[in-house]
Amino acid sequence: VEGRSPVFEAFRRYDLAGSADQRPTQAAIAEELGVSQGEVENCLALARRRLYQCVTEVVGESVDSPEALKEELEGFFPS
């Protein structure tokens, strides 16, 4: 998609699609973006890492210990 990073576009189409029945396959996304399925997988991993880093940074500003940060992050990213 013109003007958008493939990382963001893969993340938007796959992880932000809504319910699982609305989510396209990674193969379909790869075809739409003109990249390999492996590249889509890499884009998703990178986008998720970036999201985790951003959330960690923002939440980290509002807690007073590493333990509190870990506890707060579990609410966003359950194991």
Side-chain angles (χ1 to χ4, degrees), residues 14-77:
Y14 192 80
D15 285 332
L16 302 180
S19 64
D21 61 328
Q22 296 172 320
R23 180 180 299 151
T25 64
Q26 291 180 10
I29 293 170
E31 186 175 325
E32 291 169 8
L33 297 179
V35 299
S36 70
Q37 186 172 341
E39 188 166 342
V40 169
E41 292 170 5
N42 290 337
C43 287
L44 290 172
L46 178 58
R48 292 169 183 157
R49 243 186 338 268
R50 287 182 181 168
L51 175 62
Y52 185 83
Q53 291 168 342
C54 290
V55 171
T56 299
E57 185 178 312
V58 170
V59 173
E61 294 174 1
S62 66
V63 296
D64 57 4
S65 71
E67 294 80 19
L69 176 60
K70 182 178 178 183
E71 186 176 311
E72 289 293 323
L73 290 175
E74 294 236 345
F76 289 102
F77 305 99

